Amino acid sequence: MMTPKQKVLACIRGEKLDEYVNQFEYVKLAFDPATLFAMGQVQKGGTWKNGWGVEMEFPENVPGMFPNTSPEFVVVDDVTNWKEKVHMPRTEFTDEEWAPTIAQVNAIDRDQYFVAPFIAPGIFEKLHYLMGMEDCMINFYDEPEAMHELIDYLVEYELKVAKEVIDHIHPDALFHHDDWGSQRSSFLSPEMFDEFLLPAYQKIYGYWKANGVELIIHHSDSYGANLVPSMIKMGIDIWQGCMYGNDIPNLIKTYGGQISFQGGIDNGKVDRGDWTKEYVEAETRKVISEVNSKNYFIPATVMGEPGSVFPGVYDFITDVIDAINRGGEVIVDENQEVTKPMTHFEK
């Protein structure tokens, strides 16, 4: 029997598989002190300032935290003066501060699973966290030179974090967040995306791959089909969060063998307060049946972690995929621990 690690490699290489890779079964996420420090004292249901000075909020019953960029909180009100406002969080930490991460990683069976640091937010998200989405989009047009300079500074930070993480835990995968679109379109045109973000990620992902990382998993739960050629150039192996509206069957037909797609089961449809097992099973089976490929496709919810907003949804979908792999009905262990929304960042 294949290990989860072997299964995902067979999936992305187009090798024979008897069953689907099941959601995040192949990877264990690690949470390093630099990322935690930059995120700040995360408070579910509360507000706080992150390591970049951004006012953050994390309401109940939402998938994740987001910035408050009201005028009184915005960090960068004029991107041409960003050097006066943007200050890199620290990237070096003591052995004592690294100890919990190292203990977490040492407990993982690397023969069974990939070990991946969780890096978030990404370059585009950092930009609009600092200045607000509207000004961010305008600045790409009106102040490209300043935006390039700021992006270079953010890349410098990411590379410093990468070095520290690699030196301490030697990961063989990377799980990196950066949402690049809405449900209907990418935020940037492919041409503008390639001008500003492609070079940044070629440096970032190129560094990780040059230092022992075999698998780059990038999260963007959005429309991004028009950006897939750029994702391939960046070195992304798995686009995690690929929503069904991206036409996954066509993506596999066009790009299979160059990149793989994890998702298809949109959280907006299944991860709800009124969810039922009947509906979630039907939606999961529908997506898997319509995509109909064990290669280059990992059926999963599109949320950027192994969990769900409403407890039980993620675990039940795992049970449904297990049943599909067995060719039988769903068998639910009523005593299993329900996966809660991720709380690794909560202090």
Side-chain angles (χ1 to χ4, degrees), residues 122-331:
I123 298 298
F124 179 76
E125 290 180 339
K126 284 187 180 76
L127 289 170
H128 74 75
Y129 278 27
L130 289 166
M131 62 190 70
M133 180 64 80
E134 295 85 354
D135 283 354
C136 179
M137 302 301 287
I138 292 169
N139 287 332
F140 282 118
Y141 288 96
D142 287 353
E143 299 292 347
E145 183 177 350
M147 291 293 276
H148 277 296
E149 290 177 353
L150 178 52
I151 289 170
D152 288 344
Y153 184 72
L154 300 178
V155 170
E156 179 187 347
Y157 167 78
E158 288 231 4
L159 294 179
K160 287 182 178 182
V161 172
K163 182 181 186 307
E164 289 296 303
V165 172
I166 290 165
D167 287 349
H168 283 87
I169 64 172
H170 311 291
D172 49 9
L174 170 68
F175 185 56
H176 197 292
H177 275 229
D178 207 14
D179 288 332
W180 291 332
S182 68
Q183 294 186 32
R184 297 183 178 181
S185 67
S186 59
F187 292 130
L188 301 178
S189 69
E191 294 77 17
M192 186 169 280
F193 185 88
D194 285 357
E195 177 185 347
F196 289 94
L197 294 182
L198 175 57
Y201 275 104
Q202 286 177 319
K203 292 175 185 175
I204 294 167
Y205 290 159
Y207 184 88
W208 287 96
K209 284 207 164 183
N211 287 277
V213 166
E214 183 177 1
L215 201 64
I216 301 290
I217 310 156
H218 183 97
H219 166 81
S220 180
D221 53 344
S222 61
Y223 180 83
N226 57 338
L227 304 178
V228 171
S230 301
M231 296 185 200
I232 294 168
K233 292 175 185 176
M234 290 175 179
I236 294 172
D237 298 290
I238 298 172
W239 170 15
Q240 186 276 324
C242 183
M243 301 185 75
Y244 192 75
N246 285 284
D247 191 355
I248 296 175
N250 186 57
L251 290 178
I252 291 171
K253 180 180 178 181
T254 306
Y255 301 109
Q258 301 177 78
I259 189 171
S260 296
F261 308 94
Q262 178 175 338
I265 305 167
D266 295 357
N267 282 71
K269 296 178 181 178
V270 299
D271 192 5
R272 303 157 44 125
D274 61 351
W275 75 279
T276 66
K277 291 182 177 180
E278 293 76 15
Y279 174 77
V280 171
E281 179 172 3
E283 183 66 21
T284 301
R285 289 184 179 274
K286 172 178 175 290
V287 168
I288 291 174
S289 174
E290 291 182 359
V291 175
N292 191 31
S293 177
K294 295 182 177 70
N295 291 130
Y296 318 124
F297 173 60
I298 301 168
T301 60
V302 300
M303 190 167 173
E305 67 217 19
S308 51
V309 175
F310 294 94
V313 175
Y314 180 87
D315 299 288
F316 182 69
I317 291 172
T318 298
D319 293 331
V320 174
I321 298 170
D322 278 340
I324 291 170
N325 283 337
R326 294 193 316 269
E329 297 181 355
V330 181
I331 301 175

